[in-house]
Amino acid sequence: MIIRFSHFAMSVSLALSSIVCFAQKAPRNGDPKLTEYWDPAVRVVTPGKTNADPPSDAIVLFDGKDLSKWKSDNDGSAAKWKIEGNAMVVVKGAGNISTKEAFGDCQLHIEWRTPAEVVGESQGRGNSGIFLMGKYELQVLDSYNNRTYSNGQAGSIYKQFPPLVNASRGPGEWQTYDIIFTAPMFYADGALKSPARITVFHNGVLVQNNTTIWGATQYVGTPNYEPHASKEPLILQDHGNPVAYRNIWIRPI
Ligand code: MG
């Protein structure tokens, strides 16, 4: 009975996210079971065969075959990027594409490739972008021996935070982003309750470490927050360069 009560107390404690606090109150010379909790059991997820493969509970947004999970962000019509091999490729002028489904807090895996033939420089070379919630851009750019403003290169939160390091592979090579995104929250009156946060691994290398985002990405001027829904579509940018994407999956958190 004592143990059962302790499990209940621990569950309450967990719900309050105060495990450490509770643990401090458990006697150090007492029953070790007092600091065990069993319920709820941790959900089982089958990982992919490699870290790039979608795990069992992921929503696959692009598996190399079609753009059925995407639409044109301009007018909601069918996405007009092209399929080449197992990749989707930006078609200049076709515009940004967005997911049909909306997402908030998430883990996102996405692979991208800038053109093998180097054309242009700085921001004009292999530019695209991943807009979390359609608003917060993680820059995609050919940043291999291509100097540009630091908070505009690959792995940057565009016009806000440069990546911790430049982990870029060369033009024409596939690269990966693994992203953990926490959506911003707003009060009923629209005031900001908590800002968005983002962690990013570029080719497996940490480039954004729980970075606090300042607001929706702006090309000109300082960013700020405008209230929006708790879930919004993911957007990929047409910046006029034929950047390719493949193997895109997301796990709502
Ligand atoms: Mg961009």
Side-chain angles (χ1 to χ4, degrees), residues 10-230:
M10 186 64 92
S11 297
V12 171
S13 174
L14 264 178
L16 297 172
S17 301
S18 56
I19 305 169
V20 173
C21 182
F22 183 85
Q24 286 171 344
K25 291 174 184 168
R28 293 280 167 78
N29 58 354
D31 185 349
K33 285 185 164 49
L34 290 173
T35 45
E36 297 174 2
Y37 65 93
W38 288 69
D39 297 309
V42 177
R43 190 164 55 90
V44 173
V45 170
T46 307
K49 286 192 174 64
T50 74
N51 289 353
D53 290 338
S56 59
D57 64 345
I59 297 169
V60 176
L61 293 173
F62 179 65
D63 65 0
K65 295 188 181 73
D66 61 54
L67 294 170
S68 59
K69 301 282 178 66
W70 300 81
K71 58 185 171 63
S72 166
D73 188 52
N74 291 334
D75 57 9
S77 64
K80 295 173 187 69
W81 292 12
K82 62 186 173 186
I83 304 289
E84 283 183 1
N86 63 349
M88 61 157 93
V89 183
V90 174
V91 173
K92 185 177 182 176
N96 297 346
I97 62 171
S98 65
T99 54
K100 293 176 180 174
E101 196 171 338
F103 304 98
D105 295 358
C106 66
Q107 174 187 350
L108 173 66
H109 175 89
I110 188 162
E111 303 182 16
W112 53 275
R113 183 187 64 195
T114 61
E117 183 190 351
V118 173
V119 177
E121 58 178 2
S122 189
Q123 292 289 307
R125 185 169 142 184
N127 194 333
S128 182
I130 298 155
F131 284 78
L132 283 304
M133 305 193 88
K135 293 169 176 61
Y136 311 102
E137 184 184 12
L138 170 61
Q139 175 71 308
V140 168
L141 194 74
D142 178 358
S143 286
Y144 187 83
N145 292 332
N146 178 32
R147 192 78 174 92
T148 188
Y149 40 94
S150 298
N151 62 350
Q153 69 181 61
S156 68
I157 305 306
Y158 184 72
K159 285 281 182 91
Q160 296 185 27
F161 301 98
L164 293 168
V165 293
N166 182 350
S168 296
R169 293 189 177 123
E173 292 189 63
W174 282 103
Q175 312 201 47
T176 62
Y177 278 154
D178 287 281
I179 301 160
I180 301 161
F181 178 76
T182 304
M185 292 196 291
F186 301 91
Y187 290 105
D189 68 358
L192 182 68
K193 187 175 185 183
S194 59
R197 297 196 310 278
I198 191 165
T199 294
V200 180
F201 293 88
H202 181 190
N203 298 325
V205 180
L206 183 69
V207 293
Q208 297 290 344
N209 184 9
N210 200 27
T211 300
T212 299
I213 296 175
W214 285 338
T217 299
Q218 301 294 335
Y219 179 52
V220 180
T222 48
N224 67 307
Y225 279 99
E226 300 285 348
H228 56 73
S230 60

